[in-house]
Amino acid sequence: MNVEVTPLPGIGVRKDFALRSGRRIGVVTHRDGQTELIVSKSDDPDACLASLPLTAEEASALANLLGAPQLVAQLTEEHRDLPGISTRQLPIKSNSVFDGRTLGDTAMRTRTGVSVVAVVRAGQAHPSPTPEFTFTAGDVLVAVGTSEGLENALKILKNG
């Protein structure tokens, strides 16, 4: 996928790419920190068909929605030939007892046999988190293990 980066003098930077349909989708990052999700015409990237301003929190949520599934899909494909091994997204919700606590506090691997291979925060993957990695509400853990272990890991994150 070819992402084009276009400086917008006095405004910021546009990063976009062509969809299979021909339209272009991208993000404009303004100099003042504002973010816009944009859809442009295929034949004229400067002709914006739609623009959605996003708060930092909204941009972060969208990045998590798009980033975690991509990572999980890649890991699932890599584990396809390993029977009994699955990959799953495990969210840290705002009411989670682990919001503000560390991976080590969960004792996840000891209690379930599940390994947390990455944490996606604000669209950025943090691979191989250490036991000292502190969770924040909105994080998405990418975990690998048996189906039973992953179910138990989800229960731990919900109930402690």
Side-chain angles (χ1 to χ4, degrees):
M1 182 83 29
N2 184 29
V3 175
E4 294 182 27
V5 178
T6 307
L8 303 172
I11 297 170
V13 177
R14 179 181 70 218
K15 297 177 184 174
D16 65 347
F17 63 94
L19 300 173
R20 193 176 314 156
S21 68
R23 287 193 175 160
R24 300 187 69 77
I25 190 166
V27 173
V28 174
T29 305
H30 293 258
R31 291 174 50 184
D32 64 3
Q34 291 181 320
T35 303
E36 263 181 287
L37 181 64
I38 59 168
V39 178
S40 305
K41 291 183 176 181
S42 57
D43 58 344
D44 185 1
D46 293 326
C48 189
L49 296 172
S51 170
L52 296 169
L54 300 172
T55 66
E57 185 179 27
E58 291 165 342
S60 175
L62 181 59
N64 274 336
L65 289 174
L66 297 173
Q70 182 181 17
L71 183 56
V72 169
Q74 179 182 349
L75 288 169
T76 299
E77 177 62 26
E78 290 175 6
H79 297 137
R80 185 181 43 165
D81 297 329
L82 300 172
I85 299 296
S86 299
T87 304
R88 186 166 177 182
Q89 298 176 53
L90 306 172
I92 300 290
K93 298 189 177 186
S94 59
N95 61 350
S96 172
V97 298
F98 293 105
D99 180 11
R101 294 183 57 199
T102 67
L103 173 58
D105 290 338
T106 68
M108 183 107 33
R109 188 173 309 158
T110 302
R111 295 168 67 187
T112 67
V114 165
S115 293
V116 175
V117 296
V119 176
V120 179
R121 176 180 292 159
Q124 297 294 315
H126 300 271
S128 304
T130 65
E132 294 79 29
F133 188 95
T134 302
F135 297 134
T136 300
D139 285 351
V140 178
L141 284 59
V142 178
V144 175
T146 64
S147 294
E148 180 183 354
L150 291 166
E151 281 300 317
N152 289 333
L154 186 59
K155 289 177 186 173
I156 288 170
L157 293 177
K158 285 183 179 179
N159 306 317

